[in-house]
């Protein structure tokens, strides 16, 4: 059973930084996608950043140059470093993971469907 547990959310002023973490367990695919998504109440979920098992990444235009997705395979942890935060980045952030048989890329991962989700962590950016 796959478990994803996010941490690292919180409140920060505009221009500040936060690092989100997602600890994964029970996830043993050699080919996979992992990603960070965000969703505010009443709004559609947005794919913020994703990383494939080959290390390729993809970002939403709204966060390019400010956010960085990375993974620590030894510790089964996914990260999202968020710099230069803006009030419009305020959302609940979710970690997601999906295993595949074939090869996948970062761009595919950000737009693909996921069946495994974490519980979410709140990020609030004040102006």
């Amino acid at each position: 059973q796959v478990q994803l547990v996010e941490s690292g959310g919180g409140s920060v002023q505009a221009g500040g930084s936060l690092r989100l973490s997602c600890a994964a367990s029970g996830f043993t695919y050699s080919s996979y996608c992992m990603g960070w998504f965000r969703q505010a109440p009443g709004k559609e979920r947005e794919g913020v950043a994703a990383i494939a098992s080959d290390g390729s990444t993809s970002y939403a235009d709204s966060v390019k140059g400010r956010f960085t997705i990375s993974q620590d395979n030894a510790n089964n942890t996914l990260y999202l470093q968020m710099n230069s935060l803006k009030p419009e980045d305020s959302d609940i952030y979710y970690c997601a993971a999906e295993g595949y048989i074939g090869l996948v890329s970062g761009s595919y991962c950000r737009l693909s469907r996921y069946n495994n989700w974490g519980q979410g962590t709140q990020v609030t950016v004040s102006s």
Side-chain angles (χ1 to χ4, degrees), residues 29-108:
Y29 293 91
S30 58
S31 180
Y32 60 83
C33 288
M34 295 193 76
W36 289 98
F37 296 78
R38 63 188 182 187
Q39 185 173 25
K43 294 177 64 177
E44 286 192 12
R45 184 174 291 168
E46 177 187 20
V48 176
I51 188 166
S53 43
D54 67 355
S56 58
T57 58
S58 177
Y59 297 90
D61 288 343
S62 58
V63 306
K64 278 181 182 176
R66 300 188 297 122
F67 290 12
T68 303
I69 188 171
S70 63
Q71 58 187 347
D72 180 347
N73 290 329
N75 292 306
N76 297 320
T77 303
L78 182 73
Y79 299 102
L80 185 68
Q81 178 67 43
M82 305 186 294
N83 298 328
S84 302
L85 282 162
K86 305 175 181 179
E88 52 263 42
D89 293 320
S90 297
D91 258 324
I92 300 175
Y93 284 70
Y94 298 89
C95 169
E98 192 65 32
Y100 291 88
I101 296 176
L103 298 176
V104 290
S105 66
S107 56
Y108 172 84

Side-chain angles (χ1 to χ4, degrees), residues 2-15:
V2 178
Q3 271 199 315
L4 302 171
V5 180
E6 301 100 333
S7 61
S11 297
V12 65
Q13 288 193 324

